[in-house]
Amino acid sequence: MASRLRFQMVDEAYNRQPLKVKSPDERPSQYFGKYVFNKKNMKQYLAPEVYQKMCDVMDHKIPFDPTIADEVAEGMKQWAVSLGATHYTHWFQPLTEGTAEKHDGFWARDDEGGLVEEFKGKLLVQQEPDASSFPSGGVRSTFEARGYSAWDPTSPVFVLGDTLMIPTIFISYTGESLDYKAPLKKALYAVDRAATAVARYFYPDVERVVTNLGWEQEYFLVDESLYNARPDLIMTGRTLMGHDSAKNQQMDDHYYGSIPKRVENFMRDLEIHALELGIPVKTRHNEVAPNQFELAPIFEETNLAVDHNMLLMSIMKKIARKHGFRCLLHPKPFKGINGSGKHNNWSLSTDTGILLHAPGKSPLDNLRFATFIVETLKAVYDHNGLLKASIMSASNAHRLGANEAPPAIISSFLGRTVTDLLQHVENSTDEALTMKGKTAMKLNIPSLPELLIDNTDRNRTSPFAFTGNRFEFRAISSEANCASAMIALNTAVAESLCSFRDRVDLLISQGEAKERAILRVLRDDIKYCKPICFNGNGYSDEWKEEAQRRGLDCENSTPIVFDRYLDDRTVRMFEEQHVMNRLELEARNEIKWETYIKKIQIEARIFGDICMNHIVPVVTRYQTQLLENVHKSMQIYGVEKARELSANNLRLIEQISEHEKYIADNAERLIEVRKVANQISEARTRAIAYHDTVAPLIESIRTHIDELETIVDDEMWPLPKYRELLFIK
């Protein structure tokens, strides 16, 4: 396809649909949550006593009273219908990395042969998706189809298009969770229970601890017409072949650069939709790689933040198409430039407004701060392999450890100030802890205000970095459900805090003063979890060697890393915290291995198709042209003179033959190694075979195709190139 035709296709796609534009007088604060059944709308459509009961459920986690279900459902229906809704659906998060929904109309038959609008409480509270049609890891067989979706009242319902969307959990007929939300809510309850008990050592009036999450969503935009000319992008979300562009990110000029107008229009449209749906998006900017961007919201309670991220990923794909783009959420769509992550900024806060991971101003505050920092570090140390497994996937394996994202070794950066504080706790007998606050930097520029320096730097090579009042789990994939990482992290922290409380209480029962008991346990835990703390360069080879000496999990094979979910220690933790049982963990691992296999299998199939049906025919045609040119030269100039004049063409012909032979031979071999792997019955072993034999062969063949891209006539090359895909016109 000629470059001229490619850009003509882009021009035709540009601005195909009108933007969603707000009046200059209408501010985001006025339309925020317009399509959400929030407290403001609940107050209007529910009776006062029903409204108060719903507030108790949402704010204080009081169990939902089933006697008000019909009244709540009717109020929801009236509100939704006022916004043009005609249908409702239970919206849930099966183990597919996406969401699921089945729409039903707001009507039922009446006694006179007509229809009446109706929405009963039983339809709001519970429905029955087919559990055997979603990944279940063997929990549900084809002939055991029944499953249940159950309304989550703590995540507000919303209207999307003409449908009332009801966030729900999804479980099997026998009670096992088949989604991300159910175990996430259990993990959040576990850390609430454990953290509240520990927080009361310092603040007796604390009733509840909330987990906060702020995700940073990175993504790529490409022109839709160019996307449609790339079968690999369509089928896998990434380019399986493609030579580096002469210019990509090496000039460091895209990060925080001026946002292209077309992209700004898309961002504005997306923000309006997101704000109307109650997603508090706040930040937008260019990311490091060309065509890469980021969007981030204000922090929210974790369960709601996860729902909002899943909703946002869905609507951003739809809105991108309105603007002639395709939104790529694959963590590594282009080789040779930075991939996309989804940093999860995580912290704990109390119902009394105390941020548990924020430094304090008094010795008691600092003791509390040190306690929650250390017990979080202990959780990360105890389960560093599990945390890695929670963010690993076939897609994210291309990004982790690639000098652009955290390495496939979980460690934690603390910075000098926090490190000094913990060393003081470990080595000093002084019970009064002090910590430096922000200091001023003198710039010797009179017109500028005083610049305050934070008590910790940032370390982008650290997978789990402390950044001032929160931890930033940086290794999550851009396309992933945040819940996977949050389930593992919150459960591990709950376990760590429970252990801390038990040991402190034991010392207190033996006559130790409370503060002294806390310090004794803290000192033990600081010494114990030191191996997880690393403030240096996580990309260096020296760190990999050091991490092994420290006993950290350095495995980088995705299928093998999944084993961490079934370690005895992991199973015991999940069961003791009542988050998941062994059967659920085994089922999830079956799904993880099967998903890994299928993703690599799809890549291998489409890769083979492009090789043999797109690349090889074009390469052969170009080689034939070169041969004809040499042949005609010989006819005109004779053999010796023609060899001299056609030396470059002869060299190209030889290079093409070598590359073409390697591609053809190994494309056949790719089919064979897949056949061998497919004969393996056990999912784990089959996944390992795909990792060890199929995936490397794809990369090996790709090298030769990418070289051919630099040889073959640009007018003949069948796929849009990186220089066209990566620079929005």
Side-chain angles (χ1 to χ4, degrees), residues 90 124-127 148-152 167-171 181:
H90 273 200
L124 166 65
V125 171
Q126 179 178 321
Q127 291 190 27
Y148 298 117
S149 57
W151 174 39
D152 173 14
T168 64
I169 66 167
F170 179 40
I171 61 173
K181 181 182 273 283

Side-chain angles (χ1 to χ4, degrees), residues 384-631:
N384 66 96
L386 172 65
L387 290 176
K388 181 166 62 176
S390 75
I391 54 90
M392 285 292 272
S393 67
S395 304
N396 211 22
H398 295 286
R399 170 177 165 267
L400 292 179
N403 283 12
E404 64 185 63
I409 303 168
I410 301 298
S411 64
S412 185
F413 166 83
L414 297 178
R416 176 48 50 196
T417 303
V418 179
T419 299
D420 288 346
L421 174 69
L422 298 189
Q423 286 178 347
H424 175 72
V425 174
E426 179 185 356
N427 300 321
S428 173
T429 58
D430 183 9
E431 296 181 13
L433 301 182
T434 59
M435 184 174 177
K436 294 179 182 178
K438 293 186 178 183
T439 57
M441 176 185 288
K442 295 186 182 299
L443 297 177
N444 296 319
I445 305 175
S447 60
L448 293 187
E450 185 177 67
L451 181 64
L452 295 179
I453 309 303
D454 285 286
N455 55 27
T456 177
D457 198 355
R458 290 182 181 268
N459 185 331
R460 68 185 303 271
T461 74
S462 175
F464 196 81
F466 181 70
T467 56
N469 56 13
R470 63 192 182 274
F471 283 95
E472 184 178 19
F473 196 1
R474 297 177 52 88
I476 292 88
S477 159
S478 52
E479 67 183 358
N481 188 323
C482 299
S484 179
M486 291 296 100
I487 292 166
L489 176 60
N490 283 288
T491 308
V493 171
E495 179 194 53
S496 181
L497 290 170
C498 285
S499 170
F500 175 83
R501 183 197 63 215
D502 290 344
R503 287 175 289 148
V504 169
D505 285 352
L506 178 61
L507 291 175
I508 293 173
S509 71
Q510 294 170 349
E512 194 91 8
K514 181 177 68 175
E515 285 77 10
R516 188 172 293 277
I518 290 171
L519 280 168
R520 278 186 60 183
V521 175
L522 274 184
R523 289 181 182 120
D524 290 342
D525 287 351
I526 290 170
K527 294 174 184 176
Y528 171 76
C529 67
K530 268 187 178 179
I532 204 66
C533 300
F534 178 66
N535 288 346
N537 180 8
Y539 294 159
S540 68
D541 290 334
E542 290 81 6
W543 166 235
K544 295 175 185 176
E545 296 172 3
E546 173 64 21
Q548 284 187 322
R549 285 194 292 270
R550 294 187 184 192
L552 301 182
D553 193 313
C554 299
E555 179 62 59
N556 58 16
S557 168
T558 300
I560 293 176
V561 169
F562 291 154
D563 288 346
R564 306 302 174 258
Y565 272 98
L566 299 179
D567 289 345
D568 288 342
R569 186 170 193 173
T570 301
V571 175
R572 184 168 61 251
M573 175 192 75
F574 278 119
E575 290 188 335
E576 288 179 352
Q577 297 302 320
H578 307 290
V579 174
M580 286 185 282
N581 58 36
R582 180 178 288 276
L583 176 60
E584 289 172 308
L585 291 167
E586 289 173 344
R588 282 164 192 264
N589 259 29
E590 284 293 312
I591 294 168
K592 287 177 181 291
W593 285 316
E594 289 290 348
T595 300
Y596 181 88
I597 293 164
K598 289 171 182 176
K599 284 190 174 183
I600 305 300
Q601 190 176 71
I602 291 168
E603 288 187 354
R605 286 174 173 172
I606 192 63
F607 183 80
D609 172 61
I610 296 173
C611 283
M612 303 312 296
N613 296 320
H614 295 250
I615 303 300
V616 170
V618 167
V619 170
T620 302
R621 192 157 60 246
Y622 180 60
Q623 186 182 43
T624 300
Q625 289 183 1
L626 295 176
L627 286 166
E628 289 175 352
N629 180 276
V630 172
H631 179 67

Side-chain angles (χ1 to χ4, degrees), residues 36-154:
V36 181
F37 198 57
N38 51 27
K39 289 183 179 179
K40 177 182 176 182
N41 291 318
M42 287 167 56
K43 203 168 191 176
Q44 181 179 351
Y45 284 89
L46 298 180
E49 62 276 11
V50 176
Y51 167 75
Q52 187 56 54
K53 286 186 176 182
M54 284 300 301
C55 288
D56 289 340
V57 172
M58 298 172 70
D59 296 338
H60 305 295
K61 303 299 184 286
I62 302 299
F64 178 75
D65 180 0
T67 64
I68 66 171
D70 283 341
E71 294 177 77
V72 174
E74 179 61 25
M76 280 183 185
K77 186 203 72 177
Q78 291 180 12
W79 167 77
V81 169
S82 74
L83 295 172
T86 56
H87 289 70
Y88 63 91
T89 183
H90 273 200
W91 181 71
F92 56 98
Q93 301 168 28
L95 300 172
T96 59
E97 299 297 335
T99 58
E101 56 199 63
K102 174 180 70 72
H103 299 193
D104 288 300
F106 279 127
W107 50 76
R109 295 291 298 272
D110 64 15
D111 295 334
E112 298 178 349
L115 293 177
V116 293
E117 288 187 342
E118 180 179 277
F119 185 50
K120 297 292 188 182
K122 65 180 181 180
L123 298 175
L124 166 65
V125 171
Q126 179 178 321
Q127 291 190 27
E128 288 189 26
D130 185 344
S132 65
S133 296
F134 291 99
S136 72
V139 170
R140 297 267 83 192
S141 302
T142 302
F143 63 90
E144 296 173 319
R146 194 182 296 277
Y148 298 117
S149 57
W151 174 39
D152 173 14
T154 64

